[in-house]
Each structure stands twice: as structure tokens, then as C-alpha cells.
Amino acid sequence: MKAEKPDPRSITWTKRTVRELESGECSLGIELGSTNIKSTLVSTDGTPIASGSSSWENTLVDGHWSYALDDVWSGIQESFRNLVQTVSTDFGVRLTSVASLGISAMMHGYLAFDREGELLVPFRTWRDTTTGSAAEKLTQLFRVNIPLRWSISHYYQAILDHEEHVPRVDFLTTLAGYVHWKLTGQKVLGIGDAVGMFPIDSSTNTYASEMVTAFDELVAGATQKKLLDVLPQVLVAGEEAGKLTAEGAKLLDPTGGLKAGALACPPEGDAGTGMVATNSVRPRSGNVSVGTSIFAMLVLDEPKKIMNSAIDPVATPSGDPVAMVHCNNGAQEVSTWIELFAEVAVAFGKFKINSMDEVYAAILAEALHGDKSCGGVVAYNYLSGEPIAQVNDGRPVITRSSDASMSLANFIRAELFSCFSTLAIGMDTLREEGVDFDALYAHGGLFKTEGVAQRLLAAALNTPVGLAPSAATGGSWGMAILALYARRGTGTSLADFLAEEIFGDTEERVIEPVAADVEGFRVFLERFTNGLQWASGAAQAIPNVNSTNRTE
């Protein structure tokens, strides 16, 4: 049989990629998510070349959700090592340099260091709900919503609790800011992540000066340094944020194979990279990110003062104002059940697992065959507290009416609806505040199974939901694109750069909400809301088995 002729376009692309890899022209994005650390390498036109990943988990340490800093570096190194191996296998090139790089991570939280650069208390993540008193007092002081997970809430709560480490605080930052600091020596932060530390003045793209003064007056005598002296410098997308140092290169690649000198872009939060990955940085655009948490970002036409605890005032990586609805609990409980079903299938010898993607596809697809309102099955996916629902601590709960139809289809549909329910509550609040948007674009691994999560999310929010081909790639690719953008400078706006050079020929898959699904979700959400007080009580009735070591 005559051999098929190679596709000349593929050959050309491979030759160009090899040339860019050998000459160090590619850009690298690394994102530290809640369950995975991912690295993505892109070509000069933004095309993904290779990726690597590493898994990790948070733990409860002294009542705070945390990750060990040793795990940060071992995970980054494993992720980068896997990427380097892929480049070697696919292209026959040993990756020794990149032109630019960027670090992204879970937003918010609390990383406090002393003058010698030593961590003062274990990293406290966005998932903590122990900062209620501080967040409430700061919201009243600043007259703007200050969420529980913001860095300033953590800092002020530590002050209120008279924690011993407070007088020794020399530097506060987020996880992305910490990793960037160690790689480049620069104590800076992208504006989209910085706004999760302290409110930003959108007219100056820096911390709101009147609020800074008010905070310093509030805590006078309790701290050794003024607030601006401990916060990282704010930068916007396209600005240079230092270069990879020799020490930083060794942190990424302990073998010594990676050269120093790569341009670093401002480190960003996972919300910012999600906006980039879905081309949602222009006014009236929006995106939904689904992972361990779930959140929506709606870009505003102009700054809008909204005093509502369900809505956070944040920003795009360029500094444009954004209204954010953030829910602490996303798709992790869905994943837990799917993995359990896979174990059962294997135990009975009925299923040979070739890849977990196949398992997800098989089980998620069942949700489309369930009753529209889940047949009386109700699920709560609260692994941790959920401020929007006024749930202080979480316990995943499944319940049903006595006459419910308990099928796999109804069960998995209820789990997906549970994943979207708190977001739907927050989005209704957003609409009541007069925030309009044309469509939402979703991303996250849940959308790898085409047409399921996208369709049910459209029903839950009663709005069109689009997916781009990059939907399942997520934030590490978005961060690599920001690193690529930094090489171009600020001559072109980020919105134009994305629209013209990255997404210009991308085909978007938009699903309109189905009326029957919308009505089914309305019925489910009514049951879900009515049972919130009962679900909240589960945390008091069922204590964690081991609060110091329990993983998600």
C-alpha cells in the first residue's frame, strides 16, 4: 500500500518550532492551581508546543487551608521537567532557554515574610473563611466590599488576633508573587492579582491611597512598617517585571540545563489568566472558570461601586475594572464521585481504564439523560465554607426526597447543578446591580467532555456560554500568552493583541440555554436554597477526622 504523503503544513510548522526551540524564542507560562501545577510552552504566535504538570493537595494546618512551600518547588520542578521531556521526545530538542516567562497562581491568601525572607506562618490560602471579623470591619472602613480571602483581610485578622508574627512582617505577597520573587528577585505583582491583596485605584493602577492611609491609621502601633512598605509593586500587562536570574533558573531546573536571562512578565492570579485564555478582557465580556473553586469575571464599561458581599471589585491584567463572583467550592466534589465510580467499575472487572478523560466523558454524559430537575436529588459540594451562601464551614452532602428517582443520570446531574448553584446565586445579585454582559466564555477541565457542563452551565446562568479550543488548557496557556505579550511591550492593547494575533481565526462554540434545562435548574435551585441551613449544620454535626492533616 502506498504510504500517505506527509502534510506539508505540519512539516513547516515542525521545522519552525524546532528553530524557535533551539534559538530560545518561545514563551513559558506556569500556573499553580488548586490541584495541579501546569507548565505550557508556546511558539511566537501563541500556539501551544508542549506542557507538563504535577499534582498536589492542600491540607488543614492549625485550622487554615495551606500548601507547604517545599511542595511549591517540587511541583514546579516536576511540571517543568515533564515539559522538557515532552519537548525532547516530540522535537528532539533539549530546552535550554526561553525568551519570556510568567507565573500565575491561585489568587489572594496570605504569605508573610520577615526581613530575612523567612516565612512567618504557613501559607494561608483563598479557601480560608477565618477572617470574617477583619473583612467586615474593613468593608465598613473602606466602603467597598473586602472579601474574606483577600490578603488584607488575612493581615488585619492576624492583627486583631494579636498573632505573635505581626510585628515581624516585612513583606506580604500572593503565591504567584512569591514564586516570581524567588525566580527574579523582584517584589512585584500584576494588577489582577494585586487587587486581591488590597483595593486598587483604577485611575492610577496602584493601591488606593486614601484606603492605605485609613488602614495605617487603623493599625497604628500594631505593625512596624507602613502598608505600602510591605506590599509588592503593582504592574500591568505588557510591562517588564525583571528577568530570570541564575538562582531562579536553578529553581526551575535543578539540573542546570536552563539558562538565565528570560524576560519576566508581571505575575498574575488565575482569574486574570482565565480572562486571557478565553479572550474576555474587553468591556461587556465575561468568563467562568471552573476548577476547585468556580468564579465569573465580568469586565465593566467603567468603575462601578457595588456594596455587596457577593461581588468583588477586581481588574483585568491591564487594569480595567471587573466585577467578580467567586465561590470557594467548584468541581472537586464532582471529580471525587467520578473517581469513586471508576474504582467501583474496576473492582467489578467491568471497566478497563485507559484514561480518566474517558471515565469523565462516560459519566458526565449521563447527566444529559437525567430528569431536568434531577428527579428530587439534591447535592451540596461544600468542602469548605461558602460566603455567598453564608455557610461558614463545609461538608459535602447528598440528599433526596423519599420518592426521588435515584439514578446515575440524576445523581451526576445534581452534582453538576450543585457545582453551578452558588455561582448562579451570585450572578443573580450581579444582574440586580445592573451589570450587563453579552455572553460568557468558560474554561476548565470539566469542559473537556463536549456539550455537557457547557449546556448545564448555560441553563444555570440562563445565558449563552461559549468555549474556545483552549477551554480545557486553562491558565498556564493564558500565562504563557501574557509572557508573549510582554515581549511586544505596551504599544498594542492587550485586548487588541488577543483579538488580532491570538484568537483571530479561532472558532468559538456557543451554546444557548435550553428552556427545559433552565426550568429544571430553577426547581433544583429552589430546593438547594431551601436546604442551605440544614447543609450548613452538617459542619457542626460532623467534625473533620483530622484537622491538621486532612486533604481536600
Side-chain angles (χ1 to χ4, degrees):
M1 184 173 70
K2 191 173 182 179
E4 291 185 11
K5 185 179 292 186
D7 184 348
R9 293 171 299 177
S10 176
I11 294 173
T12 301
W13 185 84
T14 301
K15 287 182 177 178
R16 189 195 72 185
T17 303
V18 169
R19 183 177 67 250
E20 291 183 358
L21 288 167
E22 291 177 338
S23 58
E25 297 178 51
C26 301
S27 295
L28 173 67
I30 297 175
E31 181 159 281
L32 295 91
S34 300
T35 56
N36 287 285
I37 299 173
K38 299 178 182 178
S39 302
T40 297
L41 193 69
V42 301
S43 65
T44 53
D45 65 0
T47 302
I49 294 173
S51 62
S53 67
S54 174
S55 299
W56 68 339
E57 294 179 334
N58 59 190
T59 57
L60 272 173
V61 179
D62 298 328
H64 297 282
W65 290 102
S66 186
Y67 297 85
L69 294 194
D70 285 346
D71 292 345
V72 169
W73 294 111
S74 62
I76 287 175
Q77 289 163 6
E78 181 182 1
S79 175
F80 184 72
R81 182 170 63 249
N82 291 338
L83 181 147
V84 170
Q85 182 58 54
T86 299
V87 169
S88 177
T89 300
D90 291 353
F91 301 99
V93 177
R94 172 68 168 96
L95 185 68
T96 59
S97 63
V98 295
S100 59
L101 61 85
I103 301 298
S104 173
M106 300 168 283
M107 298 174 66
H108 318 117
Y110 186 70
L111 279 160
F113 298 89
D114 65 14
R115 189 179 303 174
E116 286 72 41
E118 295 298 319
L119 187 67
L120 291 169
V121 291
F123 172 36
R124 299 172 182 177
T125 79
W126 56 271
R127 188 160 230 173
D128 263 20
T129 55
T130 60
T131 58
S133 296
E136 182 179 356
K137 293 178 186 297
L138 291 176
T139 295
Q140 293 173 354
L141 177 67
F142 297 152
R143 304 304 302 163
V144 64
N145 181 38
I146 304 297
L148 276 67
R149 65 187 178 280
W150 279 19
S151 303
I152 194 63
S153 294
H154 284 273
Y155 187 36
Y156 186 43
Q157 190 66 53
I159 294 171
L160 290 176
D161 293 342
H162 305 288
E163 293 195 36
E164 293 181 1
H165 75 276
V166 168
R168 298 166 55 201
V169 172
D170 185 75
F171 178 47
L172 296 175
T173 191
T174 65
L175 182 55
Y178 161 70
V179 174
H180 182 94
W181 170 38
K182 292 302 180 182
L183 296 182
T184 67
Q186 302 297 308
K187 295 180 177 179
V188 301
L189 205 57
I191 192 169
D193 204 8
V195 75
M197 293 200 74
F198 193 87
I200 293 289
D201 182 344
S202 58
S203 66
T204 62
N205 283 341
T206 189
Y207 303 112
S209 59
E210 291 183 3
M211 297 182 195
V212 169
T213 300
F215 183 82
D216 283 336
E217 292 174 353
L218 178 68
V219 302
T223 63
Q224 296 297 315
K225 301 184 76 171
K226 297 291 188 181
L227 184 62
L228 287 184
D229 293 330
V230 301
L231 293 177
Q233 178 188 354
V234 182
L235 299 175
V236 298
E239 292 186 310
E240 182 176 330
K243 295 183 184 298
L244 180 66
T245 63
E247 295 81 6
K250 199 70 180 290
L251 277 173
L252 282 180
D253 184 4
T255 70
L258 182 66
K259 298 176 182 177
L263 171 70
C265 70
E268 265 298 349
D270 50 0
T273 57
M275 284 188 280
V276 171
T278 55
N279 192 22
S280 303
V281 297
R282 291 190 188 279
R284 295 185 62 86
S285 66
N287 78 294
V288 175
S289 176
V290 183
T292 301
S293 63
I294 179 171
F295 53 84
M297 307 283 285
L298 291 305
V299 186
L300 305 177
D301 293 303
E302 58 184 7
K304 188 178 181 71
K305 191 167 185 177
I306 301 174
M307 277 294 294
N308 192 300
S309 60
I311 302 170
D312 304 347
V314 292
T316 70
S318 296
D320 294 317
V322 171
M324 180 184 195
V325 177
H326 183 282
C327 311
N328 280 357
N329 299 276
Q332 185 160 351
E333 187 66 2
V334 177
S335 298
T336 298
W337 279 106
I338 289 177
E339 290 165 7
L340 175 64
F341 292 148
E343 288 183 24
V344 172
V346 170
F348 278 90
K350 300 293 185 182
F351 193 79
K352 182 178 180 181
I353 297 177
N354 296 314
S355 78
M356 283 304 295
D357 285 349
E358 292 180 5
V359 178
Y360 273 79
I363 295 177
L364 289 179
E366 286 296 308
L368 299 182
H369 304 300
D371 296 331
K372 299 304 181 185
S373 60
C374 309
V377 180
V378 181
Y380 295 88
N381 65 328
Y382 295 161
L383 282 154
S384 65
E386 191 58 79
I388 288 178
Q390 298 182 350
V391 173
N392 293 327
D393 197 5
R395 298 293 184 274
V397 176
I398 301 290
T399 189
R400 59 191 174 100
S401 60
S402 57
D403 61 347
S405 175
M406 187 60 169
S407 64
L408 175 61
N410 284 338
F411 181 89
I412 201 65
R413 189 179 181 93
E415 281 293 333
L416 288 170
F417 272 178
S418 174
C419 176
F420 302 143
S421 287
T422 310
L423 181 68
I425 294 170
M427 293 294 283
D428 284 345
T429 302
L430 198 63
R431 288 186 173 99
E432 291 170 2
E433 294 287 349
V435 175
D436 297 320
F437 49 92
D438 299 323
L440 293 172
Y441 293 87
H443 79 118
L446 197 62
F447 298 100
K448 285 183 179 180
T449 303
E450 190 171 352
V452 180
Q454 182 185 9
R455 173 175 163 174
L456 297 186
L457 178 60
L461 302 183
N462 196 15
T463 195
V465 172
L467 289 183
S470 61
T473 306
S476 60
W477 179 74
M479 195 67 236
I481 297 302
L482 286 173
L484 179 62
Y485 177 62
R487 295 176 59 191
R488 313 291 177 89
T490 55
T492 302
S493 71
L494 177 61
D496 287 344
F497 170 75
L498 294 176
E500 296 167 7
E501 299 190 39
I502 304 300
F503 290 93
D505 57 356
T506 298
E507 293 185 9
E508 298 170 344
R509 307 187 301 276
V510 178
I511 286 182
E512 297 284 337
V514 177
D517 290 337
V518 173
E519 174 60 19
F521 180 77
R522 185 195 66 77
V523 174
F524 176 89
L525 185 62
E526 183 177 352
R527 294 170 179 158
F528 181 95
T529 304
N530 289 340
L532 276 173
Q533 185 175 2
W534 167 77
S536 180
Q540 284 72 49
I542 308 172
N544 283 323
V545 175
N546 188 336
S547 63
T548 58
N549 294 311
R550 180 184 178 274
T551 59
E552 289 185 355

